[in-house]
């Protein structure tokens, strides 16, 4: 099997087959997140990066950045487009707590946590299911771009409502 390049997470469709749902929100101060990284609304209602440090299974997220953070020093000066966590289907590489992992048909239907690769500003689905993180990614299918058994292959997933600050339910 092949080793697949690790790429940023992307929104690929909605559950109903349309284009990904997104909204624009004010950005928190000094945000350097990259497109595809997880974000949440902070206590002031601004979008901030959802980091591994706050992924303790209790902090909810808004979705994933559809554009890079602006790194503006003043909160609310900039706005950022966010792919909403509800209603969208996302695609990301699989990992085992940052290490190589292969795709398997048995991953479909299973809940896994996100893995935050802070060095490369990427989010992946953590098939190793590391402790103390919310299991919020429901794998819907393996990506049709890869083969079963590919290292760092990609899966398509949704986020369950319990993971989200804003949901359609």
């Amino acid at each position: 099997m092949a080793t697949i390049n690790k790429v940023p997470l992307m929104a690929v469709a909605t559950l109903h087959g349309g284009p990904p749902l997104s909204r624009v929100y004010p950005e928190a101060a000094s945000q350097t997140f990259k497109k595809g990284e997880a974000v949440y609304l902070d206590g002031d209602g601004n979008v901030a990066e959802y980091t591994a440090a706050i992924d303790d299974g209790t902090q909810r997220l808004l979705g994933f950045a559809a554009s890079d953070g602006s790194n503006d020093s003043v909160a609310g000066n900039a706005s950022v487009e966010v792919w909403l966590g509800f209603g969208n289907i996302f695609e990301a590489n699989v990992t085992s707590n940052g290490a190589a992992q292969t795709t398997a048909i048995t991953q479909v239907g299973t809940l896994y946590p996100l893995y935050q690769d802070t060095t490369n500003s990427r989010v992946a689905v953590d098939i190793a299911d590391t402790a103390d993180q919310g299991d919020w990614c429901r794998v819907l299918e393996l990506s049709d771009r890869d083969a079963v058994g590919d290292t760092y292959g990609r899966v398509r997933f949704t986020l369950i409502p319990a993971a989200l600050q804003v949901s359609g339910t």
Side-chain angles (χ1 to χ4, degrees):
M1 293 290 125
T3 297
I4 304 303
N5 291 331
K6 292 184 269 183
V7 297
L9 173 145
M10 60 185 178
V12 295
T14 65
L15 289 170
H16 303 291
L21 299 171
S22 66
R23 295 290 181 270
V24 176
Y25 294 90
E27 186 180 307
S30 305
Q31 294 300 302
T32 59
F33 53 77
K34 299 296 182 192
K35 181 178 180 179
E37 287 194 277
V39 293
Y40 75 108
L41 290 174
D42 69 10
D44 295 320
N46 297 312
V47 171
E49 184 176 357
Y50 185 88
T51 64
I54 63 170
D55 185 5
D56 61 1
T58 62
Q59 175 62 53
R60 304 304 183 238
L61 63 133
L62 179 62
F64 300 98
S67 58
D68 294 348
S70 69
N71 199 20
D72 192 299
S73 62
V74 178
N77 268 0
S79 296
V80 63
E81 183 180 6
V82 176
W83 291 315
L84 298 176
F86 73 90
N88 282 325
I89 298 172
F90 303 98
E91 184 173 289
N93 296 93
V94 297
T95 188
S96 178
N97 198 25
Q101 180 62 276
T102 59
T103 54
I105 196 68
T106 56
Q107 294 160 352
V108 174
T110 305
L111 283 171
Y112 295 108
L114 295 171
Y115 174 77
Q116 317 281 335
D117 178 352
T118 56
T119 302
N120 298 300
S121 300
R122 289 192 190 111
V123 172
V125 176
D126 189 3
I127 303 303
D129 198 3
T130 54
D132 300 326
Q133 294 176 308
D135 289 350
W136 293 336
C137 302
R138 171 84 63 196
V139 175
L140 298 176
E141 62 187 356
L142 305 183
S143 173
D144 57 6
R145 300 172 188 215
D146 309 325
V148 174
D150 280 350
T151 302
Y152 294 119
R154 293 173 288 238
V155 294
R156 292 186 177 154
F157 66 93
T158 60
L159 295 172
I160 64 170
L164 304 173
Q165 289 178 306
V166 177
S167 71
T169 58

